[in-house]
Amino acid sequence: MRDDLPKGFAAGTAQAAFRKPGRPDLGLLVSEKPCVLAALFTQNLFCAAPVQIDRAILKAGKPVRAIVANSGQANACTGEQGLRNCEKIQSLLAVDLGLQPDEILLISTGVIGAQFDMGKWGLALPDAARNLGSQDAEGFTRAMMTTDAFPKFASRSLQLSGGEIRLCVMAKGAGMICPNMATMLCVALTDAGVERKAWQGIFSRAVNKTFNRVTVDGDTSTNDTILGLANGASGVAVQDQEDLAALEAALTEILDKVSYMLVKDGEGAKKVIHISVKGAATDSDAELVARAVGNSQLVKTAIYGGDANWGRIVNAAGYSGASFNPGEVGLVLCGIERFHDGSPVNDDKEEELAALLQQSDVDVKIVLGRGKGEYTLKASDLGHEYVTLNSDYRS
Amino acid sequence: MRDDLPKGFAAGTAQAAFRKPGRPDLGLLVSEKPCVLAALFTQNLFCAAPVQIDRAILKAGKPVRAIVANSGQANACTGEQGLRNCEKIQSLLAVDLGLQPDEILLISTGVIGAQFDMGKWGLALPDAARNLGSQDAEGFTRAMMTTDAFPKFASRSLQLSGGEIRLCVMAKGAGMICPNMATMLCVALTDAGVERKAWQGIFSRAVNKTFNRVTVDGDTSTNDTILGLANGASGVAVQDQEDLAALEAALTEILDKVSYMLVKDGEGAKKVIHISVKGAATDSDAELVARAVGNSQLVKTAIYGGDANWGRIVNAAGYSGASFNPGEVGLVLCGIERFHDGSPVNDDKEEELAALLQQSDVDVKIVLGRGKGEYTLKASDLGHEYVTLNSDYRS
């Protein structure tokens, strides 16, 4: 058991060569105590086989003990056989670990539409079980990586009225990122003890403010899953309102940190665009505008090139589907006002702006009118490297 | 008056150096007789000043005589001053041509948010008026080009019961292309005589089947405008149902031809993706799926790279918002079935498919279920050249 995982959790990995040999592509997380589960899943109609399995476990509401993760194959769009393969993995692992099959969750990422090679699973699962405790958060995260340039994880401790607890978040994701009520593969662990309903509430609100507010390419994947496991191994039960609020704030902070890393590592991305929309009639209108701007290829390529072509941002707001009065709209780019009450600001700040656009984080503030609706979104830029990576991802 | 324009229409151009010197960037089209106008405009809330002017002219319902087009500046997001500049152009031109200001339509394309340099307009407008008749359809189309790699136009004649008429369509567009009830700049001319309501009906249906079914980057622009002018100079009045149907079929055919050119010239595009969705519960569901697939960066980059990564196509269908049963979905890529009733087709056709994906036109056929809803969409791929063009469009 390594230091940065919360108490009572152990991780192991194996090299199964699901897609390419010579790297860990199977990760295992086991809790010594039963865990309370909270989870959110993709809204994609083609949700992957592991998503269907996990959703059933969440619905049953019983404690869980382990998560098995793999990269290389997404096990999505694989029909009945995909589900049978998940169940086979649960059975094999249940024997190795002395658990019930329905205490084991699965998360998968990789190519859509390919069936698992169960021979490889049969060889690699005992390996991962054998080295349980040898890996830290980084090790487990690396086993989930595909086109990720770096592993995304963070951990922290938190002092509550009953004592200290730990939180750890591990995620993967670089492309096909536009989480919708869930994210790419992500696991959040805590050794706090929390009641199931409270934990799911805290979890849903925290994810909604963080992972659900990032986009790389607007493609919501078949496998988006975020699992939150609380095993109570710290001996600290989180019950009173103040402690619950502190846990939610800490979880939100750490999820925000890791979701930022996801955008930062958007395939080939050089910059993170921080979009803030205010003054909308409703939060939904603000969200429509933020998403249209954050997913616009023209905005993303302009930011990539350091071009202060702000008209593309306003254009995206205009076709977003949100209702507003164009004559009340304003735009501030990197702290410099470019558009005010529907008219351009004519000053000579192009050079100053060009310098600011070279930075790795770019601020886009949009005011839609006089309403109270608002939304924030983090988006990656779009460069040559995205095209290179995605025009031959499978090879 | 040049041969490929319908009878009674004349074109002229001028070099105003709106953005760069040394190329025609102002085009003028004048009809010797009053024209019946049909038109469709962008749904973007930030519709450009010329769109607002043209919309008012369409609403007034009076005959029109001329169109002035420019590239270099879009005159969008330019507030009150943008509208005043349009009116100034109408007044200047009305004097030069002996027309009323409200008989003159405007269409603009270029950078959003910059005000016109009216000094340049004042010098160039008389130039264009002086050389009226010197340009053919290609000449006028070239004056509207921005990042277009080639001019997009087509003309044809049509034998009706009362005699022969001509049709000519001229369009510009390469980026910011996702027409929504309209298109990028496009002018359709005919020397047929048609009653106003019948002409708008024919025009709307033809545009809906053609220009409204193409996408390059999913960005619906501030300036999308398609104008249809019928001047009756052929002496042929189109009145009976058979003639009206023949005119609609011919217009649809020629608009389809030119809208295909738009996708073909999608910024940096190498391939046209022909997406067909059938078996949906409704046409709207089929459209949602077609648009999600056609605008998916991951689908577009895979097709660009010739990668038969069909899972990305199915994934986009899954997040499109359409309702369907994943277990009934099928996919045929370039004539080869990859997905059937929700499960992958396991055969060894990768090499065959790789060869087919090298062609310039790629067929994607999706069956969603057993319903009667269907839709087709033409989309461009997404390559390095798009990023290059759009990361420094303004410079």
Side-chain angles (χ1 to χ4, degrees):
Chain A
M1 203 167 312
R2 299 283 290 262
D3 271 1
D4 62 353
L5 292 173
K7 274 188 200 159
F9 287 101
T13 61
Q15 300 194 0
F18 289 128
R19 182 148 192 83
K20 288 178 186 169
R23 51 162 301 237
D25 50 6
L26 192 162
L28 188 58
L29 263 175
V30 180
S31 168
E32 63 187 26
K33 290 169 181 269
C35 302
V36 172
L37 172 70
L40 290 164
F41 303 101
T42 184
Q43 299 296 301
N44 195 308
L45 282 185
F46 286 105
C47 62
V51 171
Q52 295 175 52
I53 298 281
D54 294 354
R55 204 173 254 157
I57 292 175
L58 178 71
K59 200 175 167 197
K62 291 192 290 184
V64 297
R65 289 286 302 278
I67 299 171
V68 56
N70 75 283
S71 57
Q73 256 101 45
N75 196 7
C77 303
T78 46
E80 270 303 306
Q81 196 187 329
L83 287 169
R84 294 297 85 77
N85 287 341
C86 285
E87 290 163 2
K88 178 80 184 159
I89 291 165
Q90 287 176 309
S91 306
L92 289 169
L93 206 50
V95 174
D96 282 344
L97 301 175
L99 300 176
Q100 294 301 311
D102 65 357
E103 291 179 308
I104 301 166
L105 299 151
L106 297 100
I107 49 179
S108 299
T109 180
V111 178
I112 296 171
Q115 297 289 1
F116 278 152
D117 178 338
M118 293 308 292
K120 289 182 177 175
W121 277 95
L123 290 171
L125 280 170
D127 263 8
R130 235 184 332 264
N131 73 35
L132 262 180
S134 68
Q135 299 293 326
D136 55 8
E138 177 171 346
F140 179 80
T141 308
R142 285 195 179 275
M144 298 193 284
M145 284 167 62
T146 55
T147 53
D148 301 60
F150 57 86
K152 296 153 197 85
F153 62 99
S155 59
R156 60 163 289 176
S157 59
L158 178 68
Q159 194 63 44
L160 295 176
S161 60
E164 192 183 74
I165 64 146
R166 292 192 61 76
L167 278 167
C168 176
V169 172
M170 297 163 278
K172 78 79 56 186
M176 208 174 264
I177 301 278
C178 180
N180 176 14
M181 301 312 294
T183 173
M184 281 305 289
L185 303 190
C186 179
V187 174
L189 305 178
T190 180
D191 49 21
V194 203
E195 181 269 324
R196 195 162 77 95
K197 215 169 147 188
W199 180 227
Q200 180 73 49
I202 285 170
F203 199 72
S204 298
R205 287 190 296 274
V207 171
N208 197 34
K209 279 191 200 139
T210 55
F211 275 89
N212 277 353
R213 297 191 182 203
V214 299
T215 185
V216 170
D217 46 21
D219 282 80
T220 302
S221 105
T222 45
N223 288 56
D224 290 356
T225 299
I226 178 161
L227 304 173
L229 272 62
N231 70 0
S234 64
V236 180
V238 188
Q239 285 168 316
D240 73 39
Q241 283 311 313
E242 204 169 318
D243 280 353
L244 287 167
L247 178 62
E248 183 167 337
L251 181 68
T252 304
E253 187 196 298
I254 196 170
L255 287 174
D256 190 48
K257 209 165 173 178
V258 178
S259 65
Y260 172 85
M261 295 179 196
L262 229 73
V263 185
K264 188 88 184 163
D265 189 24
E267 284 171 336
K270 297 225 177 304
K271 294 172 188 166
V272 176
I273 313 171
H274 299 258
I275 303 162
S276 136
V277 181
K278 291 191 170 168
T282 63
D283 288 351
S284 312
D285 272 353
E287 180 175 355
L288 282 173
V289 168
R291 290 193 181 276
V293 172
N295 286 324
S296 160
Q297 289 182 199
L298 288 167
V299 171
K300 291 158 100 81
T301 46
I303 301 281
Y304 170 79
D307 181 7
N309 197 341
W310 59 266
R312 293 180 178 177
I313 298 171
V314 177
N315 184 70
Y319 68 68
S320 67
S323 302
F324 56 83
N325 172 1
E328 288 185 346
V329 175
L331 170 70
V332 178
L333 184 57
C334 297
I336 299 182
E337 190 174 42
R338 298 284 80 196
F339 196 56
H340 183 86
D341 282 351
S343 289
V345 175
N346 291 310
D347 54 21
D348 202 24
K349 302 224 171 144
E350 282 279 320
E351 264 182 54
E352 194 180 330
L353 197 48
L356 290 167
L357 282 169
Q358 297 307 315
Q359 298 177 340
S360 63
D361 290 82
V362 169
D363 246 38
V364 174
K365 292 197 192 309
I366 300 165
V367 175
L368 281 189
R370 320 274 180 253
K372 290 199 185 308
E374 54 181 43
Y375 199 79
T376 58
L377 182 74
K378 294 187 184 80
S380 60
D381 62 355
L382 172 62
H384 289 287
E385 299 78 1
Y386 182 93
V387 176
T388 301
L389 271 167
N390 284 299
S391 53
D392 91 312
Y393 168 51
R394 298 192 315 165
S395 50
Chain B
M1 201 168 315
R2 299 283 290 265
D3 272 1
D4 62 353
L5 293 173
K7 276 186 198 161
F9 288 100
T13 61
Q15 300 194 0
F18 289 128
R19 182 146 193 85
K20 288 178 186 167
R23 51 161 303 234
D25 51 5
L26 193 162
L28 187 58
L29 263 175
V30 179
S31 168
E32 64 188 25
K33 291 169 180 269
C35 303
V36 171
L37 172 69
L40 290 163
F41 303 100
T42 184
Q43 299 296 301
N44 195 307
L45 282 186
F46 287 105
C47 62
V51 171
Q52 296 175 51
I53 298 280
D54 293 355
R55 206 173 254 158
I57 292 176
L58 179 72
K59 200 175 167 196
K62 292 192 291 185
V64 297
R65 288 287 301 279
I67 299 171
V68 56
N70 77 282
S71 57
Q73 256 102 46
N75 196 8
C77 302
T78 46
E80 271 303 307
Q81 196 188 327
L83 287 170
R84 296 295 86 76
N85 286 340
C86 285
E87 290 162 3
K88 179 80 185 157
I89 291 163
Q90 288 177 308
S91 306
L92 289 169
L93 207 49
V95 174
D96 283 344
L97 301 175
L99 301 175
Q100 295 301 311
D102 66 357
E103 292 178 309
I104 301 167
L105 298 152
L106 296 99
I107 50 179
S108 299
T109 180
V111 178
I112 296 170
Q115 299 288 2
F116 279 151
D117 178 339
M118 294 308 292
K120 290 181 177 177
W121 277 95
L123 290 171
L125 280 171
D127 263 9
R130 233 181 339 259
N131 74 34
L132 262 182
S134 69
Q135 300 293 327
D136 55 10
E138 177 172 345
F140 178 80
T141 307
R142 284 195 180 277
M144 299 192 283
M145 282 166 62
T146 55
T147 53
D148 302 59
F150 56 86
K152 297 153 197 86
F153 62 98
S155 59
R156 60 164 289 174
S157 59
L158 177 67
Q159 194 62 43
L160 296 176
S161 61
E164 191 183 76
I165 64 146
R166 292 192 61 76
L167 279 166
C168 176
V169 172
M170 296 162 281
K172 79 78 54 185
M176 210 176 263
I177 301 279
C178 180
N180 177 14
M181 302 312 293
T183 173
M184 281 305 289
L185 303 190
C186 179
V187 175
L189 306 177
T190 180
D191 50 22
V194 204
E195 180 270 323
R196 194 162 77 93
K197 214 168 146 189
W199 180 227
Q200 180 73 49
I202 285 171
F203 199 72
S204 298
R205 287 190 297 274
V207 170
N208 197 35
K209 279 190 198 140
T210 56
F211 274 91
N212 277 354
R213 298 191 182 203
V214 299
T215 184
V216 170
D217 46 21
D219 282 79
T220 302
S221 106
T222 45
N223 288 55
D224 289 355
T225 300
I226 178 161
L227 304 173
L229 272 63
N231 69 359
S234 64
V236 180
V238 188
Q239 285 168 317
D240 73 37
Q241 283 311 313
E242 203 168 321
D243 279 353
L244 286 166
L247 177 63
E248 182 167 335
L251 181 69
T252 304
E253 186 196 299
I254 196 170
L255 287 174
D256 190 50
K257 209 166 174 176
V258 178
S259 65
Y260 172 84
M261 295 179 196
L262 230 74
V263 185
K264 188 88 184 163
D265 190 23
E267 283 171 337
K270 297 223 177 307
K271 294 172 188 168
V272 176
I273 313 171
H274 299 259
I275 303 163
S276 139
V277 181
K278 291 192 170 166
T282 63
D283 287 352
S284 312
D285 273 353
E287 180 174 356
L288 282 172
V289 168
R291 290 193 181 275
V293 172
N295 287 324
S296 160
Q297 288 182 200
L298 288 168
V299 171
K300 290 157 100 81
T301 46
I303 301 279
Y304 170 80
D307 180 7
N309 198 340
W310 59 267
R312 293 181 177 175
I313 298 171
V314 177
N315 184 70
Y319 67 69
S320 66
S323 302
F324 56 82
N325 172 1
E328 288 185 345
V329 175
L331 170 70
V332 178
L333 184 56
C334 298
I336 298 182
E337 190 173 43
R338 298 285 79 194
F339 197 56
H340 182 86
D341 282 351
S343 289
V345 174
N346 291 310
D347 54 21
D348 201 24
K349 302 226 170 143
E350 281 280 318
E351 264 183 54
E352 194 179 332
L353 197 48
L356 291 168
L357 282 168
Q358 297 308 315
Q359 300 177 340
S360 63
D361 290 81
V362 170
D363 247 38
V364 174
K365 292 197 192 312
I366 300 165
V367 175
L368 281 188
R370 322 275 180 251
K372 290 197 186 308
E374 55 181 43
Y375 199 78
T376 58
L377 183 74
K378 293 187 185 80
S380 60
D381 62 357
L382 172 62
H384 289 287
E385 299 78 1
Y386 182 94
V387 176
T388 302
L389 271 167
N390 284 301
S391 53
D392 98 312
Y393 169 50
R394 297 192 317 165
S395 50

